[in-house]
Amino acid sequence: MQTDETDQRLVILLRENARRPVAELARHLGLARTTVQARIERLEATGVIAGYTLKSSAASRPPLQATVLMSIEPRSGPEVLARLRSLPGVEVVHTTSGRFDLLAQVVAHSTAELDDTIDRIAEARGVRSSESLIHLATKLDRTGQ
């Protein structure tokens, strides 16, 4: 589905605060409330808006985060993914292009827990090599999480 500039602005406003009243959204966009409501319903129906979720505060998340970049052996993806799924500190895994094959986002409550998770990733069968990047400070976050 194609979206126009108004739809894109509406989605940005909803990302900032999905609980914002339709009347307030309409004021920001310079549109009638019924027009904004109809746009939201169309964006939901076409899958542009897949749903709404709870945004946790930083205080509720584990204090340590890291990105682990992995090179894996050919055809070992399913086995490596199974191992990553079994590790509770691994929150998200992406395939990548370039020097690394997988990128895992990892969280932990202590440096010992983070070290253990990173070690378990590195020793997983099929992982050729890994490189870890510990997150220090978030300077920009548009994900809404």
Side-chain angles (χ1 to χ4, degrees):
M1 184 210 128
Q2 290 228 340
T3 59
D4 62 16
E5 184 179 325
T6 302
D7 289 335
Q8 293 167 8
R9 289 176 43 219
L10 176 57
V11 169
I12 288 168
L13 290 170
L14 289 170
R15 257 195 213 123
E16 290 170 358
N17 180 1
R19 295 187 64 178
R20 188 176 268 154
V22 174
E24 184 182 326
L25 293 167
R27 276 194 304 280
H28 279 291
L29 297 170
L31 298 171
R33 188 193 62 74
T34 54
T35 302
V36 171
Q37 185 64 51
R39 281 180 177 263
I40 291 171
E41 290 170 5
R42 180 177 47 81
L43 292 168
E44 290 171 343
T46 58
V48 172
I49 296 175
Y52 302 89
T53 186
L54 174 72
K55 180 179 178 182
S56 301
S57 73
S60 69
R61 293 186 48 77
L64 297 173
Q65 297 180 44
T67 298
V68 180
L69 304 164
M70 291 161 273
S71 293
I72 62 172
E73 300 293 335
R75 293 176 292 287
S76 66
E79 187 175 1
V80 172
L81 277 174
R83 176 65 171 164
L84 295 173
R85 278 190 194 94
S86 76
L87 301 172
V90 176
E91 288 196 324
V92 179
V93 178
H94 300 280
T95 57
T96 62
S97 63
R99 189 164 62 116
F100 296 100
D101 303 302
L102 297 174
L103 176 154
Q105 294 175 304
V106 177
V107 296
H109 292 281
S110 67
T111 54
E113 184 182 331
L114 181 61
D115 189 40
D116 182 60
T117 301
I118 291 170
D119 284 348
R120 289 174 182 265
I121 291 170
E123 68 191 14
R125 196 154 101 173
V127 174
R128 184 182 301 155
S129 65
S130 67
E131 184 174 323
S132 303
L133 308 166
I134 297 173
H135 302 193
L136 299 176
T138 301
K139 302 296 185 181
L140 175 68
D141 183 358
R142 291 188 178 141
T143 63
Q145 298 177 8

